[in-house]
Amino acid sequence: MAIATVDGVSLAHEVIGDGRPWVITPGGRFSKDSPGVRELAQALAAEGNRVLIWDRPNCGASDVCFTGPSESAMQADALAGLLTQLDMAPAVIIGGSGGARVSMLTAARHPEVAAGLAVWWISGGVFGLMSLGTHYCGESLRAAWTEGMEAVVALPEWSEVLERNPSNRQRILDQDRAEFVATIERWMLAYCPCGDELVPGLAADTARTLDIPALVLRSGTSDAYHTRQTSEHVAELLPNARLVEPPWGDREWIERQDAREEGLFARWPLLAPMLLDWARDVLD
């Protein structure tokens, strides 16, 4: 594992293979070491690609960071800086769930670092987006508001970043409580399913300007968190998008939830043949 510093934030990462640059971003606040992420990178690297896997700020062994209009936008800016620093831009930027959102925002906010875009499990819909706001922000907001920053560092949701990067404890404790509350409220509001932002932080007009090759995997009809309608609308907005069926069944997200001990991303390596064929077709 290597560490790079982007805008004062230390980012844990690893580069696998040589060739065309790719970057994989997992979902949730899961790290690059989650089952399936490295395995997908290795499958892509085996076909002549240089693949970056990384821990976003607030994930894994990277630093915590509480800046930016939203957590996803802050992470997108960090990814653009990391790709540039590693001389891997422009890259094929791919990811699922929260990683899909960060990938799209990276391409939108920093088009110079994106050669192509592939996304799946795109969070959306009223229930899905409101659930995200509560999941990512609710407990930290409540703890800071009612008890202070000591209560925030005690939350289970921050346990991994504290264990893998102990200096994060002091970073959280050093936050001004009022400013932290304002930041988390802003981040929470970013998930509001309103206006013309199908994907939080990505306006429809901006999405229509992303003319890089894009691959969008259709979500299952059973998935209330990453609705099929969201994936289809994203494919309609992106001018050079190809909408395809995923290499798994309709209930994949539900089944992954039921088999969490195996990992939410354990079957991501199944995507490799599809991703490689698409890249050869549109990028070679």
Side-chain angles (χ1 to χ4, degrees), residues 71-154:
E71 186 172 23
S72 298
M74 175 271 290
Q75 293 172 343
D77 293 346
L79 177 54
L82 181 59
L83 288 170
T84 301
Q85 186 173 139
L86 296 176
D87 196 24
M88 291 184 65
V92 184
I93 302 175
I94 71 174
S97 195
R101 183 170 57 256
V102 171
S103 296
M104 287 185 282
L105 289 177
T106 303
R109 294 168 68 87
H110 306 275
E112 72 281 358
V113 307
L117 179 69
V119 289
W120 54 96
W121 293 351
I122 306 169
S123 301
V126 173
F127 173 75
L129 294 181
M130 293 187 73
S131 297
L132 287 181
T134 300
H135 176 71
Y136 287 126
C137 304
E139 279 303 292
S140 290
L141 181 58
R142 179 203 59 77
W145 197 317
T146 61
E147 301 177 68
M149 300 312 298
E150 284 282 358
V152 175
V153 297

Side-chain angles (χ1 to χ4, degrees), residues 2-277:
I3 299 292
T5 301
V6 175
D7 293 331
V9 179
S10 294
L11 301 174
H13 65 279
E14 184 175 344
V15 177
I16 301 169
D18 292 294
R20 171 181 284 136
W22 293 64
V23 57
I24 304 170
T25 302
R29 286 203 181 111
F30 292 95
S31 82
K32 60 180 173 54
D33 301 311
S34 299
V37 177
R38 181 182 304 276
E39 291 79 3
L40 174 56
Q42 291 169 335
L44 297 174
E47 297 298 323
N49 296 289
R50 184 184 182 206
V51 187
L52 169 66
I53 56 176
W54 70 303
D55 287 343
R56 290 155 290 159
N58 303 338
C59 305
S62 290
D63 287 353
V64 294
C65 181
F66 303 103
T67 62
S70 70
E71 186 172 23
S72 298
M74 175 271 290
Q75 293 172 343
D77 293 346
L79 177 54
L82 181 59
L83 288 170
T84 301
Q85 186 173 139
L86 296 176
D87 196 24
M88 291 184 65
V92 184
I93 302 175
I94 71 174
S97 195
R101 183 170 57 256
V102 171
S103 296
M104 287 185 282
L105 289 177
T106 303
R109 294 168 68 87
H110 306 275
E112 72 281 358
V113 307
L117 179 69
V119 289
W120 54 96
W121 293 351
I122 306 169
S123 301
V126 173
F127 173 75
L129 294 181
M130 293 187 73
S131 297
L132 287 181
T134 300
H135 176 71
Y136 287 126
C137 304
E139 279 303 292
S140 290
L141 181 58
R142 179 203 59 77
W145 197 317
T146 61
E147 301 177 68
M149 300 312 298
E150 284 282 358
V152 175
V153 297
L155 291 172
E157 63 197 67
W158 296 110
S159 60
E160 182 179 12
V161 295
L162 298 182
E163 178 182 348
R164 298 187 61 182
N165 186 341
S167 60
N168 278 329
R169 176 180 176 83
Q170 195 59 48
R171 289 189 183 89
I172 295 176
L173 291 175
D174 286 344
Q175 299 295 310
D176 176 82
R177 180 168 69 169
E179 185 175 342
F180 180 82
V181 166
T183 296
I184 301 302
E185 284 186 326
R186 182 174 68 249
W187 285 8
M188 192 175 195
L189 186 60
Y191 291 110
C192 176
C194 49
D196 71 341
E197 292 186 353
L198 184 64
V199 175
L202 180 61
D205 286 346
T206 302
R208 293 188 183 98
T209 69
L210 294 179
D211 59 357
I212 56 173
L215 187 71
V216 178
L217 276 69
R218 196 194 310 267
S219 293
T221 58
S222 65
D223 191 342
Y225 297 91
H226 319 92
T227 67
R228 170 163 287 195
Q229 184 180 46
T230 300
S231 62
E232 292 174 342
H233 283 182
V234 166
E236 291 172 1
L237 285 173
L238 299 175
N240 287 325
R242 181 181 298 177
L243 181 66
V244 297
E245 300 297 330
W248 44 61
D250 181 81
R251 294 178 62 81
E252 177 70 8
W253 178 255
I254 295 174
E255 292 169 359
R256 289 295 94 211
Q257 295 290 322
D258 292 340
R260 275 183 172 267
E261 67 281 358
E262 299 175 9
L264 285 174
F265 319 131
R267 286 161 56 86
W268 280 16
L270 295 176
L271 296 168
M274 174 184 300
L275 292 167
L276 290 165
D277 287 345

